[in-house]
Each structure stands twice: as C-alpha cells, then as structure tokens.
Amino acid sequence: MFPSVLSTDSVPLNMSGGNRVTEFILLSFPCPREMQILLFGVFSLTYVLTLMGNGSIIWAVRLDHQLHTPMYILLAHFSFLEICYVNTTVPNMLANFLSETKTISFTACFLQFYFFFSTGITEPFFLSLMAFDRYLAICQPLHYPTIMTGRFCIKLVLFCWVTGFLCFPLPIYFMTQLPFCGPNVIDHFICDPGPLLALTCVHSPKLELSFSIISSLAIFLTFPFILGSYTLVFRAVLRVPSAAGRKKAFSTCGSHLTVVSLFFGTVLVMYITPTSGHITTTQKIVTLFYSVFTPLVNPLIYSLRNKEMKTALKKVQLAMKILPNK
C-alpha cells in the first residue's frame, strides 16, 4: 500500500554484454509445490469472496434509493476502490503460485507498482472524507444537507481519486529510467519500490526520499484529521439525550473506526518494522494482510453493524434469485 524499504536475497544474473533486465522474478512465498497449490485455492476463495462482498455493497447502494445519501455513496466508492486494489495484486499472485518461472515483465511490474500504490494511497483520502462526512452529519446536523450536497460529494470523491493517482507517476517514471543491470529476483509477491531500487545499478537517494515523503504525507496528514474528526463526533454523541440516538451514532462510527484501525494499524507496523534482510517474511505477511484480507473483511464490518445496509443487501439477494427465473 505504501512503499517500504526492503532488502532482497538476490541471485546473480548473467549479464553478458551489458544487457539490461527485461523481466523480474517474484519469489512470492517459496514452498513445496503442494503448498503452492493449497495457497492458490485459499487465495482464490478469498479473492472471489472479496469481489462478491464489495460488489454487493455497490449494488445495494445502487438499487436502494434510501441509500442514495453521501454516507452510502462514499461507502460504494470505497468498496469499488477495494475491488480495484485487490485486482492489482491477487490475479498475478494466483498465476505466480501455478507458474514454474514466476516471472513478470519490466512493464507489467511497474504498472502493478503504479496501480497498487495509487489505489493504496487513495484509501486514506477516502477514509478522511468518510470521517468528514460523519463529522458534518453529527456535529453540524442543521447545515449538513446544505453543505454535503450530491454535487459537492461527487467533487470530493473525484478529488480523492485524482489526488491518489497523481502521487506516483513522476517518481515511477524516473525510476523506470534507472539502469537495472541485475540481479532480477524480488523476494516479494508484489513489485515494491524497496526491492526494485535495490536492483538498480546506481544508488538514488533522492528517489527513495520522494517515495518516503509521498507516503509519509498521506499517512501523517490524513490520520490526525480522521482522529480529530472522530474525537469531535464522540464528544457530540455523548451529549445526545436519547440512548437510541447515541447507540445508532456509535454503531455507524464504530464501523468506520474499525476499518480505520485496520488500515493505519498495518501501515504503522510497516513503518516501525526494522528494514533488515531478515524480516522479509514479516513485511510480506503485513503487506498480505492489508492488501488481501482487509478488503475481504471491510464489507462485513460495514454491513453487520448497519441495519439499512443489511436490509439493502437482502434486496440484492432477492433480486439475484429473481433474475435467473426471468
């Protein structure tokens, strides 16, 4: 999700005549063939469930007019973002499990790099926007309908998408211009900037610094904003005289905070983990958690504690049963 500085256990590449690297080897999770097939089955199931869960939320918001409100529109876009996110890594990882060579072309590697980190860095922007929406709805209820209009909501959504996808093009372009003269082995299941920079012929501290600055800004600007928004929200909720009103507000905000905790918790683990060559497995597991399992559980978190969403999902289930009979 965010660039990490990793060292790789590399295998020398025969670079006769000054040839440059044209493909990389993603080691993924080295293990016996039987275990590779088992992992393929597990992650295939996880992938399908993730697409179904997030897709159901999108369809529920689209079909149920009662959910055509800013909060659920943002949730639908967030679910679409999660679908995009898993599609940047899981299909290639599944193919890697069954592959003998485990190679990925130079172009495909950097395309994965761009889309993986662009969707990843878009996520805290959406989480900030969702926190801002809850702040307005609970702390400024009289002004909420006039401030968070449908048009303004869409503008904020577009801002999140555009900002996220404009963060990395230049650094990635400059990185592709560096000479990669081997070795070409990446001890990871994604094309991460840390291992990639370790494979270049020249040291580029400015490029490393640019990746660190971008990811740090995304984390340390959005996290305090989210924390501050929910602090104000909880102060306002505690002043609500109705117990039922407090329960509903806490339930809605609790779902958001659970997702926020999962996201920033794993990202902060990446930041505080030492960057020695012996923790490659730890880095891969943490990356696997926030890139594969978090998108799987997010739909459950949002739907299980939300009556409106559960009702809408039942309508989607009913519609799916009716369609085959037509």
Side-chain angles (χ1 to χ4, degrees), residues 8 30 71 85 89 93 104 120 143 188 196 228-229 262-263 298 318:
T8 56
M71 184 180 84
Y85 193 36
T89 56
M93 183 170 63
I104 183 171
H143 301 288
H188 214 309
L196 282 171
S229 297
L262 284 172
F263 176 83
N298 282 350
L318 182 62

Side-chain angles (χ1 to χ4, degrees), residues 54-197:
N54 287 283
S56 297
I57 288 181
I58 295 170
W59 276 106
V61 174
R62 182 177 179 181
L63 295 176
D64 194 334
H65 293 286
Q66 292 183 347
L67 300 185
H68 290 184
T69 61
M71 184 180 84
Y72 292 107
I73 291 172
L74 293 176
L75 179 56
H77 278 273
F78 186 75
S79 294
F80 179 68
L81 174 64
E82 295 286 60
I83 289 175
C84 295
Y85 193 36
V86 296
N87 275 309
T88 62
T89 56
V90 178
N92 183 73
M93 183 170 63
L94 293 176
N96 192 290
F97 285 135
L98 301 180
S99 172
E100 294 291 340
T101 59
K102 302 186 183 301
T103 58
I104 183 171
S105 70
F106 186 91
T107 301
C109 185
F110 278 95
L111 282 174
Q112 184 195 60
F113 179 5
Y114 171 69
F115 285 106
F116 177 73
F117 288 104
S118 293
T119 51
I121 210 167
T122 303
E123 194 158 332
F125 296 139
F126 266 103
L127 291 174
S128 299
L129 181 52
M130 294 164 81
F132 177 64
D133 174 72
R134 290 301 83 204
Y135 162 76
L136 288 178
I138 295 174
C139 300
Q140 305 289 334
L142 298 178
H143 301 288
Y144 179 72
T146 56
I147 297 175
M148 190 60 78
T149 62
R151 180 174 294 184
F152 183 57
C153 180
I154 295 301
K155 286 181 179 179
L156 291 175
V157 166
L158 289 175
F159 174 79
C160 290
W161 281 107
V162 172
T163 304
F165 277 78
L166 286 181
C167 288
F168 287 109
L170 276 179
I172 290 177
Y173 170 76
F174 287 122
M175 191 171 177
T176 60
Q177 303 309 301
L178 295 175
F180 287 83
C181 53
N184 67 336
V185 179
I186 299 175
D187 190 6
H188 214 309
F189 62 90
I190 60 169
C191 291
D192 189 83
L196 282 171
L197 285 170

Side-chain angles (χ1 to χ4, degrees), residues 11 21 30 36 134 144-145 163 176 181 200 229 241 244 251 253 308 321:
V11 180
V21 170
Q36 295 274 328
R134 290 301 83 204
Y144 179 72
T163 304
T176 60
C181 53
T200 60
S229 297
S251 177
C253 295
E308 291 86 355
K321 290 180 179 179

